Amino acid sequence: MIRRPAAGRRRLLRIALASAAVLAALPVADRIAAAVAEERIAERIAGRQSSLVGTPQVSIDAFPFLPAAAEGTLPKVAVRADAVTREGRTVQASLELREVSERAGAYTAATAEARFTAPFGSFGDDLGEGASFSADEEGRLRIDRDVLGLPLTVVAEVRLTGRTVTVVPVAASFAGRPVDPAGPRISAAFSGRERTVPELPGGLTPTGVSVGDAGVTLHARADGVRFT
């Protein structure tokens, strides 16, 4: 057996320890670089959207981050933010950007899918004071309120046609008895309640609407999104 001199063994030990320290530091450096990139993207989005409340939360789904950044494209970037509409209604926005790249100080994404969720409370002014809202088991809007001291329940579908959102009653009961949802009183309560979706940021186009536990959600999509 060939025995290395003590000095040689110490040198190899120092090299091994230094290499281990570098390898241990790589995940930390990678996470720091990702956090810096997330902050830059968040500031860029906040600077372009005056309707946002506070700074959005940005999460880059790329690990390790540095190799992806070196290639110039991040596979997925998720953004969450609170916003206020022109009418003062609160909206929770989430955005998923795919294939995000930076060129000459501008960010571009191959595709973007967004969800804008309005809490149920934002429907109160339109459909009567004292009404409560929830999602039923079939993903429809359920509205409960008292009329003359008796419970009225209306189940409605929330529909998107082009850029117009309508609430259409499909079932109803009064004091536990079924009533016609197309009857004049219920129809009058919902008549003229449609809403036009305003221009969405980044060229997003509405694609659908759904009802869930958090409220009513507008879904939208865009290709070739650019935010400078």
Side-chain angles (χ1 to χ4, degrees):
M1 178 183 296
I2 300 175
R3 303 181 64 87
R4 295 181 180 274
R9 291 197 298 272
R10 287 196 296 271
R11 181 171 180 274
L12 288 175
L13 179 60
R14 287 196 299 270
I15 293 174
L17 290 174
S19 300
V22 170
L23 291 174
L26 283 178
V28 177
D30 192 85
R31 186 56 248 172
I32 292 174
V36 171
E38 289 168 351
E39 183 177 355
R40 288 175 59 191
I41 294 175
E43 291 175 349
R44 189 68 56 87
I45 293 173
R48 287 178 56 87
Q49 302 301 325
S50 59
S51 62
L52 296 183
V53 178
T55 303
Q57 298 179 346
V58 175
S59 176
I60 297 175
D61 186 5
F63 184 82
F65 167 78
L66 290 172
E71 292 178 0
T73 302
L74 302 174
K76 185 174 76 172
V77 176
V79 182
R80 295 183 180 275
D82 293 328
V84 178
T85 67
R86 296 175 183 175
E87 296 79 17
R89 303 178 189 274
T90 59
V91 174
Q92 297 169 342
S94 64
L95 181 67
E96 185 176 286
L97 303 167
R98 293 281 184 175
E99 303 301 317
V100 179
S101 59
E102 182 183 10
R103 298 288 187 276
Y107 289 95
T108 59
T111 62
E113 293 187 357
R115 291 176 296 176
F116 302 94
T117 301
F120 289 123
S122 64
F123 289 83
D125 295 339
D126 288 347
L127 297 176
E129 184 178 355
S132 63
F133 303 86
S134 60
D136 77 351
E137 61 277 3
E138 296 183 31
R140 300 175 300 185
L141 181 65
R142 173 177 171 142
I143 305 147
D144 292 283
R145 62 170 302 186
D146 287 341
V147 176
L148 301 176
L150 297 174
L152 170 67
T153 298
V154 178
V155 176
E157 293 181 351
V158 183
R159 302 172 181 174
L160 175 69
T161 304
R163 303 186 69 89
T164 302
V165 177
T166 55
V167 181
V168 181
V170 294
S173 66
F174 181 61
R177 296 177 177 272
V179 296
D180 184 5
R185 292 190 177 182
I186 295 177
S187 296
F190 287 85
S191 178
R193 304 300 185 185
E194 65 271 2
R195 296 178 185 171
T196 300
V197 178
E199 290 296 324
L200 299 175
L204 289 164
T205 300
T207 58
V209 65
S210 62
V211 180
D213 292 339
V216 178
T217 299
L218 175 73
H219 302 261
R221 177 184 169 86
D223 295 322
V225 178
R226 177 184 175 91
F227 46 107
T228 59

